[in-house]
Structures are given as structure tokens and as C-alpha cells.
């Protein structure tokens, strides 16, 4: 595909990019952004939830060229090295991850980013949707990615905040509130249950042990001591681990909430990568995940151009 020059901002509507939640599937946001930029479609406003908040913040800061090569070098061992385990409020405290980004990137605050940016978090005890539009970028992202059971809640201005995907997995409404005339949204949750339907009950105990050397078994290895003996059966299937139940339940919830929110607050264009084979902790599969984001965005380009009124 040949590169195109972006349209002058005065001659087109303000474009908002809503990057959805989805754990490791979120690396596909990088590919989607790359495909849009090559086509000359440069968002004016960037909003994100959870992993979308992270990628969106990096993009709004103009740091994607530095961030993407690092993402592509991740292995499951290096991902594990960024985790500080803690039993209380969540498996991961998040301090190591925050220190990594603070040491690597200058945090000029959300107000200092190159593009208008905001992200979504959830207030733990009230369930309120919280829009984070000012203050330190890293703290806002940390709140937005605080997946319940995995990350401890983030403390922010006297409130405990958790993952924004609990209330607004694809933040179209936030983009519009920020002034977007046209919203392009990336939905990572639409096909996530297909993987579970295929693999449920398929692995034996031996296969599961082998899996701890790869993607799906990364968190299984972390919580191995928490897993009860697998002596329960349901129609011949081994009982799932605690983590299986937690992540699958969260997937169901986010998929349903995504469907509901997008029905009431539709995007002008939806980009939907096919990522049902990507497990929540497959952060080391960046190359293929990014490529799928590119493919999905390129597939949506005719619709995007039609909405924008361009050739």
C-alpha cells in the first residue's frame, strides 16, 4: 500500500481513535495505528481503555516508534520479569512496571502530550466510570489497566480505581466528549469466546505443565500454588483453574459490555482484529498480533474513507 498525505485538519472532521481493552490482544492497536497513518488518516484525539490506554498514551506522546521495537522483543520471561507478585488486592503490585516506564519515558503529564488524550478507569466501590484527562500519564494508565484479580487497584486522588474495561471497554463516548466528530474504534473483544469454546477441557495435566513454558501457561505458572488438585470433573472435563475461571468470566463480561455500549454509543467505523487465538498474557506474540491489527485496519479503510468523504 502506498503512503498518503494526511488531509489538512481544516478540511476534515476531527477524528477520534478509541482503543479498546483486551490485555495482550492490545498490541494489535499498534498495527491499526500504523495502517491508518500509512493511509493518511491521522487521529486528532486518542482515547483508550486498559491496554488501549497504554498504547494510546504512547501514540499521543509521539513515542510509538520507540515503543514498538521494545514490544516486538518481549519474551514470556521478560514479561514475567516486569511482574512483582503480591497476595492482596491482586497478584501483581505493578511497581516494577511503573518504574520501567518512568525510567524509559519522560512523563510530561496528559496536558503535555502531542494529542488530546484521555483514558477510562472504574471506581472500585461505586462502579462509577472515571475519565482521566489530566495529571501524570503513567498514573492514569496504571489505573486503567488494573484488571481485577491480576493487578492491585490503583490509588488516585483518594479513590481506588480498577480496569476501565469493566464499564467502558471501547471508549467511543469519551472520544465524542473530547470533541471527535468521527470515531474510529478498535474492538478487541468481539470474538474472544471462540478460543475458549474450542479449547475448553482439551488439555491434559501433562499438556498443561508443558504450557507453562509458553504463552497460555505464563500466569498458570504464577498461580500454580493456588490451584487445587484437579480431581473434580464436569462431564468428563477437568475442572478449570482459578485463573481460568477468572479470566474467562472477565472475557464474558467485557464482551457483553462491549456489545451493549457499542449498540447505544456506536462508532462510525469499527476495526475488529481476529484475535481469539491470543491468550490474555500472550504479550510475547507481538509480531503476529500487530500484523493482525494492520490487516483489520486495512480492511476497514474503504469504510473509513467513505465516512470521511475522501477518495
Amino acid at each position: 500500500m502506498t503512503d498518503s498525505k494526511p488531509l489538512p485538519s481544516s478540511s476534515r472532521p476531527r477524528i477520534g481513535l478509541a482503543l479498546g481493552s483486551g490485555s495482550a490482544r492490545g498490541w494489535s492497536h499498534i498495527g491499526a495505528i500504523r495502517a491508518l497513518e500509512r493511509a493518511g488518516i491521522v487521529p486528532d484525539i486518542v482515547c483508550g481503555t486498559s491496554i488501549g490506554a497504554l498504547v494510546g498514551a504512547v501514540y499521543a506522546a509521539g513515542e510509538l516508534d520507540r515503543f514498538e521495537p521494545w514490544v516486538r522483543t518481549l519474551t514470556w520471561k521478560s514479561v514475567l520479569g516486569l511482574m512483582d507478585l503480591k497476595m492482596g488486592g491482586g497478584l501483581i503490585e505493578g511497581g516494577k512496571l511503573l518504574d520501567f516506564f518512568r525510567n524509559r519515558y519522560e512523563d510530561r503529564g496528559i496536558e503535555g502530550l502531542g494529542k488530546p488524550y484521555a483514558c477510562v478507569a472504574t471506581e472500585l466501590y461505586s462502579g462509577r466510570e472515571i475519565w482521566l484527562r489530566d495529571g501524570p500519564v503513567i498514573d492514569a494508565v496504571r489505573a486503567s489497566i488494573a484488571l481485577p484479580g491480576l493487578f492491585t487497584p490503583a490509588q488516585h486522588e483518594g479513590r481506588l480505581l480498577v480496569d476501565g474495561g469493566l464499564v467502558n471497554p471501547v471508549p467511543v463516548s469519551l472520544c465524542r466528549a473530547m470533541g471527535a466528530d468521527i470515531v474510529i474504534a478498535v474492538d478487541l473483544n468481539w470474538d474472544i469466546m471462540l478460543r475458549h469454546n474450542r479449547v475448553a477441557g482439551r488439555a491434559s495435566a501433562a499438556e498443561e505443565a508443558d504450557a507453562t513454558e509458553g504463552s497460555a501457561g505464563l500466569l498458570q505458572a504464577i498461580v500454580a500454588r493456588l490451584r487445587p488438585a484437579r480431581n473434580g470433573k464436569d462431564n468428563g472435563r477437568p475442572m478449570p483453574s482459578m485463573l481460568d475461571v477468572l479470566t474467562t468470566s472477565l472475557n464474558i463480561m467485557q464482551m457483553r459490555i462491549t456489545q451493549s455500549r457499542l449498540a447505544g454509543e456506536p462508532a462510525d467505523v469499527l476495526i475488529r482484529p481476529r484475535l481469539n487465538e491470543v491468550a490474555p498474557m500472550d504479550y510475547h506474540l507481538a509480531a503476529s498480533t500487530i500484523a493482525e491489527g494492520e490487516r483489520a485496519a486495512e480492511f476497514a479503510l474503504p469504510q473509513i474513507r467513505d465516512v470521511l468523504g475522501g477518495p
Side-chain angles (χ1 to χ4, degrees):
M1 178 177 295
T2 58
D3 292 354
S4 301
K5 292 182 179 180
L7 296 171
S9 58
S10 60
S11 65
R12 61 168 174 79
R14 283 167 61 83
I15 301 171
L17 181 63
L19 302 177
S21 61
S23 301
R25 296 185 295 273
W27 294 152
S28 64
H29 290 318
I30 297 172
I33 291 168
R34 294 302 195 193
L36 292 175
E37 286 188 324
R38 284 198 303 270
I41 299 165
V42 181
D44 303 286
I45 296 162
V46 182
C47 296
T49 296
S50 196
I51 188 67
L54 172 59
V55 176
V58 171
Y59 176 49
E63 294 281 5
L64 200 59
D65 286 343
R66 196 152 66 97
F67 182 71
E68 182 180 350
W70 172 74
V71 166
R72 288 180 178 272
T73 65
L74 287 174
T75 65
W76 74 266
K77 289 183 179 179
S78 61
V79 173
L80 188 59
L82 291 171
M83 297 179 182
D84 41 4
L85 303 185
K86 174 183 178 180
M87 295 309 299
L91 287 173
I92 301 170
E93 177 69 24
K96 281 188 178 181
L97 189 62
L98 264 64
D99 288 344
F100 173 84
F101 283 108
R102 286 195 176 105
N103 293 331
R104 190 178 178 93
Y105 298 98
E106 179 185 1
D107 190 341
R108 301 186 299 272
I110 291 175
E111 303 90 337
L113 294 175
K115 295 177 181 288
Y117 166 85
C119 63
V120 180
T122 305
E123 190 171 19
L124 180 61
Y125 291 119
S126 70
R128 291 177 56 226
E129 180 177 340
I130 305 297
W131 291 352
L132 301 173
R133 295 188 276 188
D134 53 35
V137 177
I138 293 174
D139 291 347
V141 171
R142 169 63 177 87
S144 189
I145 67 172
L147 188 66
L150 182 59
F151 279 98
T152 58
Q155 298 194 36
H156 183 81
E157 297 180 354
R159 299 176 295 194
L160 287 178
L161 302 183
V162 293
D163 198 297
L166 298 178
V167 290
N168 195 351
V170 185
V172 174
S173 57
L174 179 53
C175 268
R176 297 208 189 277
M178 295 278 287
D181 301 305
I182 300 295
V183 177
I184 301 169
V186 184
D187 174 13
L188 309 178
N189 298 319
W190 68 283
D191 68 342
I192 54 178
M193 294 310 298
L194 295 179
R195 177 179 184 273
H196 290 279
N197 290 338
R198 283 197 299 272
V199 305
R202 194 184 299 171
S204 65
E207 289 169 334
E208 223 174 48
D210 291 340
T212 60
E213 290 300 319
S215 61
L218 177 57
L219 273 185
Q220 299 290 1
I222 295 173
V223 299
R225 294 182 182 179
L226 303 179
R227 183 185 300 161
R230 297 177 63 89
N231 53 9
K233 297 280 184 176
D234 179 14
N235 295 327
R237 293 178 177 176
M239 289 298 291
S241 70
M242 179 192 73
L243 188 67
D244 289 330
V245 174
L246 176 62
T247 57
T248 303
S249 298
L250 287 170
N251 282 342
I252 293 170
M253 178 191 66
Q254 291 202 49
M255 181 183 68
R256 296 299 186 188
I257 294 171
T258 300
Q259 291 172 342
S260 177
R261 291 297 298 252
L262 289 177
E265 302 159 350
D268 295 281
V269 179
L270 269 178
I271 296 173
R272 284 179 158 165
R274 296 182 180 274
L275 299 165
N276 60 77
E277 294 290 348
V278 180
M281 292 300 294
D282 280 352
Y283 290 104
H284 64 293
L285 299 182
S288 59
T289 306
I290 291 170
E292 175 54 21
E294 288 188 271
R295 184 208 62 79
E298 288 171 355
F299 180 80
L301 283 177
Q303 183 185 2
I304 295 171
R305 292 192 177 103
D306 184 60
V307 168
L308 293 176

